[in-house]
Amino acid sequence: MTGVIIGLIFAILCVMLMEIGAHHLFPLAESTPPAGEAAGVAELTMRMRVEGLLMVVGGWALAAFVGGYIANFIAGRGLAGWIVAGLVVLAVLVTISAIPHPVWMAASGVTLPLIAGWLARRAAHVPL
């Protein structure tokens, strides 16, 4: 359980850093909508540059890999990393259901973290 918790902390940090980087490298010209305005946030998401959206998806995949690897390493079992990757996918599903995202981003946001979770298990050389 400790491995999952620490892996999840690192996964959250990966997502945060990638999203902060995306916003700094590809800022929106318009001001952001007030907190709580989901329609405004959805509109801004759809107008973000593709490069910024790719960084966000990359952050989701990186989160599953780094968090999964750390969880696998600490726990000594691949199941810990799969739990972290599954939680990343769950977070992606919650995000894309709350705020509309491009279809390619939703599909990649589910697929890439699962692939990254598999790669994390292989990299950590742990049994399932």
Side-chain angles (χ1 to χ4, degrees):
M1 186 59 120
T2 303
V4 172
I5 292 169
I6 293 173
L8 192 56
I9 290 169
F10 276 90
I12 292 168
L13 288 173
C14 286
V15 171
M16 288 174 53
L17 290 174
M18 289 295 280
E19 288 186 2
I20 289 169
H23 289 294
H24 282 338
L25 292 173
F26 309 106
L28 293 169
E30 302 86 19
S31 62
T32 57
E37 287 190 20
V41 173
E43 182 183 335
L44 288 177
T45 300
M46 296 303 259
R47 287 192 294 173
M48 281 181 69
R49 291 180 49 183
V50 173
E51 296 89 343
L53 295 176
L54 285 170
M55 281 188 70
V56 171
V57 172
W60 295 338
L62 184 67
F65 180 79
V66 170
Y69 181 85
I70 290 170
N72 288 335
F73 182 78
I74 291 171
R77 298 199 48 171
L79 182 60
W82 279 117
I83 292 171
V84 172
L87 290 171
V88 170
V89 170
L90 181 63
V92 168
L93 290 172
V94 168
T95 300
I96 63 177
S97 66
I99 302 168
H101 286 69
V103 175
W104 68 265
M105 197 173 177
S108 299
V110 171
T111 307
L112 293 179
L114 293 175
I115 294 169
W118 177 76
L119 290 172
R121 182 175 168 267
R122 302 261 316 184
H125 302 292
V126 293
L128 185 60

